[in-house]
Amino acid sequence: MCVCAGVSAALQIQCYQCEDIRQDDCSSPEFIVNCTVNVQDMCQKEVLVMEDGIHYRKSCASSGACLIASSGYQQFCTGKLNSVCITCCNTALCNGPRYKRRATSHACRPSVSHYTAPLLGLIQLYLCSH
């Protein structure tokens, strides 16, 4: 718990969690977990395109680990066979299903600006705790 300028903040998020689920992208209520307070502050989603279909892994994650993994695998996020896409997000159940948009896009290529606000918040919490 961080108390900074009279405001306390405990970070807890809910995410979907599953390992190596094929086809069904494990976004039903039985896969919802509470992440560790102040440690796992993001949800992570991995989408792997393999010969036998699309595999999903979803979990809670620390922001540092998730963002490093996401950027490290960005070059392998092609949507083709052997593609690996890792995305990070910081709102409740955000690693769940993506609703279809009209125009097609590369859903596995997150915008860096998408992470700016959460990172600034984490920096503020870090500074409050030291």
Side-chain angles (χ1 to χ4, degrees), residues 58-80:
K58 297 182 180 186
S59 63
C60 298
S62 70
S63 56
C66 192
L67 294 171
I68 288 168
S70 175
S71 64
Y73 278 91
Q74 191 170 12
Q75 64 184 341
F76 302 109
C77 182
T78 63
K80 299 177 183 175

Side-chain angles (χ1 to χ4, degrees), residues 37-111:
V37 176
N38 288 331
V39 175
Q40 296 174 315
D41 53 356
M42 291 193 121
C43 298
Q44 180 171 312
K45 180 177 181 177
E46 296 179 49
V47 181
L48 300 92
V49 180
M50 305 176 95
E51 288 183 10
D52 62 345
I54 298 174
H55 293 244
Y56 296 89
R57 290 186 194 142
K58 297 182 180 186
S59 63
C60 298
S62 70
S63 56
C66 192
L67 294 171
I68 288 168
S70 175
S71 64
Y73 278 91
Q74 191 170 12
Q75 64 184 341
F76 302 109
C77 182
T78 63
K80 299 177 183 175
L81 185 62
N82 298 320
S83 171
V84 179
C85 300
I86 300 176
T87 55
C88 310
C89 54
N90 69 343
T91 57
L93 305 176
C94 59
N95 63 342
R98 293 184 68 97
Y99 297 101
K100 293 185 179 183
R101 298 177 186 164
R102 281 196 209 171
T104 58
S105 66
H106 293 283
C108 59
R109 294 194 186 232
S111 167

